[in-house]
Amino acid sequence: METGIRAGDLAPGDALPAVRALAAELGVSPATVAKAYQELRQRGLVVTAGRHGTRVRPRPPVASRRSALMPPPLPGARDVSAGNPDSRLLPPLGPHLAALAAELRAPVGYAASAVLPELAAAARERLATDGVPADEITVTGGALDGIERLLAAHVRPGDAVAVEDPGWANLLDLVAALGLRAIGVPVDDEGPTAPGVRAALAAGARALIVTSRAQNPTGAAVSAGRAAELRALLAGRADLLLIEDDHAAELARVPLHPLAGATPAWAFVRSVSKPYGPDLRLAVLAGDEATVARVAGRARVGAGWVSTVLQRLVLALWRDPATGGLVRRAAESYDRRRDGLVDALAARGLAAHGRTGINVWVPVPDETVAVTALRDAGWSVAPGALNRIAAAPGVRITVSTLDEADLGPLADAVARAVRPSPAGFSA
């Protein structure tokens, strides 16, 4: 079956045969097939979908020879599904790369490659401004890389990990690929709910992953009141690893209310990709001494370090007042477009969520109906199934490719998609 996924004969979402039917076809016992399916699930290749049986995961962790053959968007359709920042608002890297090239002297060797002291000092200062203790710090190849290293250092296959529901699709795929058991924690506009976290802890969660601001896909941001609730709930939990993901960083124009230090084992991860560009694969990771040491030590026996050239480039962007101004203007633009879309949907009688960040989450009665209707209207949105465990259906709309003039027409299309006429849809 893995070969079929790799070759493209089994596509994401394809159903696998029933256990007994496949056992009869192959002439083996049902227990043998069930064991194979269990191993495929533990490795994150397939998912059990209740009465819908076992299916290939939307993004199984195995490279497919046909992965480059994704169908192109419909001609003329507007793609608001990708979750990328607005490329028009990203700071230019060319001048900083040119200046960096002029400054570099002798090549760096293996022994000298580590976290640059000046980058670490700048990161500590930026985190301290937001109330995050950062005595211990390292860098990783992006937010997801940091989270993967944290989970690998603290939990084992089969352990339960509490994640937001709906939550970041890449994180849900990572948890599955690591052979971990995801426990969904409901999310409202103020972050993970306290009853949801309490239930996850009671169910044996060994790690809890919280998005500080600009939660993907709902735009939630942890409020001061919610942070106080969660801190009281997590206090002293020596058996739990707390991971905070602040991927939006400077793009989130709401105060940060960190949970850092609420548990003995904790980590705070802040990526630079959203504000400064997805190609900048660097995240700062702060935490308690043991947790940071585990991540840094694991890196040394693997990738080794994050490129010092990349570290110097990020430091130059941080120090440049003009770049800071561009990031602030980008944050203001996202706020206008996101808030404008939420308001436009509300004017049409639709509740939507998008307190911070670049995404708007729209609850819908039926995702397939809504996605199809919007496709027919010329809009490509992301189905919420990629982001959900047990949460109610919804669609995710990314505002980064929208102009303010697009908000009304898109809101009209969403309203029609959520309340479709009985005429039906195209094939």
Side-chain angles (χ1 to χ4, degrees), residues 185-273:
V185 176
V187 178
D188 62 20
D189 290 336
E190 297 183 59
T193 66
V197 172
R198 186 179 297 108
L201 297 177
R206 296 288 312 282
L208 168 65
I209 305 172
V210 174
T211 308
S212 304
R213 304 176 285 189
Q215 197 260 4
N216 185 352
T218 69
V222 176
S223 66
R226 184 61 50 82
E229 282 187 275
L230 296 180
R231 278 184 165 276
L233 189 58
L234 299 173
R237 290 295 301 244
D239 58 336
L240 182 79
L241 169 65
L242 170 63
I243 302 173
E244 288 181 272
D245 175 14
D246 188 36
H247 67 97
E250 296 91 340
L251 286 181
R253 298 202 316 144
V254 295
L256 179 72
H257 300 290
L259 305 176
T263 57
W266 64 274
F268 184 94
V269 184
R270 177 176 287 177
S271 170
V272 304
S273 297

Side-chain angles (χ1 to χ4, degrees), residues 57 59 81-84 141-148 151 162-176 182 185 187 209-219 243-248 269-271 273-274 281 283 358-359 361 383-389 396:
R57 285 188 66 86
R59 284 176 290 190
S81 67
N84 294 320
L144 203 62
D145 177 59
I147 293 171
E148 179 175 6
L151 292 174
V163 294
E164 295 158 336
D165 184 21
W168 186 19
N170 286 1
L171 176 61
L172 300 183
D173 290 337
L174 173 65
V175 168
V185 176
V187 178
I209 305 172
V210 174
T211 308
S212 304
R213 304 176 285 189
Q215 197 260 4
N216 185 352
T218 69
I243 302 173
E244 288 181 272
D245 175 14
D246 188 36
H247 67 97
V269 184
R270 177 176 287 177
S271 170
S273 297
K274 282 291 191 301
R281 310 309 301 165
I358 64 174
N359 297 307
W361 177 258
L386 298 174
N387 304 87
R388 298 189 293 111
I389 299 173
R396 189 193 70 179

Side-chain angles (χ1 to χ4, degrees), residues 54-407:
T54 300
R55 296 179 178 271
V56 179
R57 285 188 66 86
R59 284 176 290 190
V62 58
S64 169
R65 292 200 298 269
R66 299 185 185 178
S67 60
L69 302 180
M70 293 291 291
L74 289 176
R78 294 289 302 276
D79 187 357
V80 291
S81 67
N84 294 320
D86 189 342
S87 59
R88 300 169 296 181
L89 299 179
L90 293 174
L93 302 182
H96 295 285
L97 287 168
L100 183 58
E103 294 171 4
L104 292 176
R105 296 293 182 263
V108 172
Y110 292 108
S113 300
V115 180
L116 294 178
E118 54 267 47
L119 179 84
R124 287 191 181 97
E125 181 179 350
R126 296 167 81 87
L127 292 175
T129 300
D130 285 327
V132 179
D135 294 335
E136 303 296 331
I137 204 164
T138 189
V139 295
T140 62
L144 203 62
D145 177 59
I147 293 171
E148 179 175 6
R149 294 180 186 280
L150 286 162
L151 292 174
H154 282 81
V155 297
R156 296 292 176 264
D159 284 347
V161 175
V163 294
E164 295 158 336
D165 184 21
W168 186 19
N170 286 1
L171 176 61
L172 300 183
D173 290 337
L174 173 65
V175 168
L178 293 175
L180 304 171
R181 179 166 55 91
I183 300 176
V185 176
V187 178
D188 62 20
D189 290 336
E190 297 183 59
T193 66
V197 172
R198 186 179 297 108
L201 297 177
R206 296 288 312 282
L208 168 65
I209 305 172
V210 174
T211 308
S212 304
R213 304 176 285 189
Q215 197 260 4
N216 185 352
T218 69
V222 176
S223 66
R226 184 61 50 82
E229 282 187 275
L230 296 180
R231 278 184 165 276
L233 189 58
L234 299 173
R237 290 295 301 244
D239 58 336
L240 182 79
L241 169 65
L242 170 63
I243 302 173
E244 288 181 272
D245 175 14
D246 188 36
H247 67 97
E250 296 91 340
L251 286 181
R253 298 202 316 144
V254 295
L256 179 72
H257 300 290
L259 305 176
T263 57
W266 64 274
F268 184 94
V269 184
R270 177 176 287 177
S271 170
V272 304
S273 297
K274 282 291 191 301
Y276 301 100
D279 201 32
L280 300 178
R281 310 309 301 165
L282 184 146
V284 173
L285 188 152
D288 67 277
E289 181 180 2
T291 296
V292 174
R294 288 182 183 183
V295 171
R298 181 64 182 85
R300 278 198 298 272
V301 298
W305 71 95
V306 174
S307 163
T308 57
V309 175
L310 178 55
Q311 292 185 56
R312 292 182 188 281
L313 175 58
V314 169
L315 184 60
L317 291 168
W318 281 351
R319 288 173 169 173
D320 179 24
T323 296
L326 290 175
V327 172
R328 285 191 296 273
R329 287 193 288 276
E332 293 167 359
S333 176
Y334 290 134
D335 281 358
R336 285 194 303 271
R337 287 180 276 175
R338 186 194 64 250
D339 293 347
L341 181 57
V342 171
D343 291 344
L345 291 168
R348 290 155 178 81
L350 298 179
H353 302 274
R355 185 179 169 206
T356 55
I358 64 174
N359 297 307
V360 171
W361 177 258
V362 185
V364 298
D366 187 303
E367 289 180 10
T368 302
V369 169
V371 169
T372 304
L374 283 164
R375 180 205 64 183
D376 288 353
W379 299 95
S380 176
V381 303
L386 298 174
N387 304 87
R388 298 189 293 111
I389 299 173
V395 296
R396 189 193 70 179
I397 299 172
T398 302
V399 301
S400 56
T401 61
L402 297 172
D403 294 318
E404 292 184 48
D406 298 321
L407 303 182

